[in-house]
Amino acid sequence: MIVKTKKYKLETGTYIKQGLKNILKEQWWVVFIAIAIACGYFWIPSWWWISMALLAYALYWLFWVIQFAGVTQMEQNKVMFEKLSYEIDSRQVLMKINSKQGMPIKWEMIKKAQIKDKAYILVLSKAQFIHLPFKIFNSQNEIKFIETILKRKGLVAS
């Protein structure tokens, strides 16, 4: 069975927000570095330790915000934010710009998947993912079929 979706445009705000969520889940441990810097206060009592730890942590997140916002502005990534349709089967996810142009993504390239309230998120890397809202599917059976594929591939828990 091949699931053919309706055309869907990934909004830049959704991309940035989801990208930051992925980074937070993957690199949650960075907060401990900021805490370790702030603990310098116990060694030499000065509020500079705490303020610099907070500044460093804020700059770390600002770096990622700039990275994700920058991706939305780059010419080579423009395709990601155009209206695309998808053809999904047990071999691959095919991202199609039109009936003649498309890019296949093998299931092996997908590191993990998340099932959210209103979408599937297929994570390729820290900054690359495919956002598939349920509204682009034609029926509830297609949504269940995709979920079955994700479970079979071991990308989500059963």
Side-chain angles (χ1 to χ4, degrees):
M1 180 175 165
I2 296 177
V3 174
K4 294 182 180 184
T5 67
K6 301 172 191 167
K7 284 197 171 248
Y8 168 68
K9 179 181 178 185
L10 177 61
E11 296 298 326
T12 57
T14 304
Y15 173 77
I16 293 169
K17 192 165 99 175
Q18 188 59 47
L20 289 173
K21 283 181 186 178
N22 288 347
I23 291 297
L24 182 61
K25 283 181 182 178
E26 226 175 89
Q27 298 189 350
W28 55 269
W29 51 267
V30 173
V31 73
F32 293 116
I33 295 171
I35 291 170
I37 293 170
C39 284
Y41 177 82
F42 300 115
W43 180 47
I44 301 172
S46 172
W47 287 101
W48 281 100
W49 290 103
I50 295 170
S51 61
M52 288 302 117
L54 290 173
L55 178 65
Y57 192 64
L59 288 174
Y60 174 78
W61 284 106
L62 181 62
F63 166 79
W64 282 110
V65 169
I66 291 169
Q67 292 296 311
F68 286 112
V71 165
T72 64
Q73 304 300 316
M74 293 175 62
E75 190 64 34
Q76 64 259 35
N77 294 329
K78 191 177 181 182
V79 172
M80 284 176 45
F81 303 103
E82 290 181 4
K83 278 198 166 205
L84 302 171
S85 62
Y86 299 88
E87 288 184 10
I88 304 166
D89 60 24
S90 59
R91 295 175 294 130
Q92 67 187 5
V93 176
L94 182 62
M95 298 171 62
K96 294 179 72 174
I97 297 169
N98 56 41
S99 61
K100 295 180 182 176
Q101 292 180 304
M103 183 180 106
I105 297 172
K106 299 283 183 196
W107 285 108
E108 294 79 36
M109 295 173 64
I110 299 170
K111 290 183 179 178
K112 63 181 176 180
Q114 301 168 9
I115 301 173
K116 299 290 183 180
D117 295 335
K118 297 179 182 180
Y120 291 118
I121 297 164
L122 310 176
V123 179
L124 302 166
S125 69
K126 286 182 190 176
Q128 293 180 322
F129 58 88
I130 300 171
H131 184 263
L132 301 170
F134 294 153
K135 67 182 181 183
I136 67 171
F137 296 102
N138 297 312
S139 71
Q140 197 65 28
N141 289 337
E142 289 182 348
I143 294 171
K144 289 179 184 176
F145 178 70
I146 300 298
E147 192 168 334
T148 303
I149 290 174
L150 294 175
K151 286 178 182 176
R152 256 192 231 142
K153 300 289 180 184
L155 297 169
V156 294
S158 296

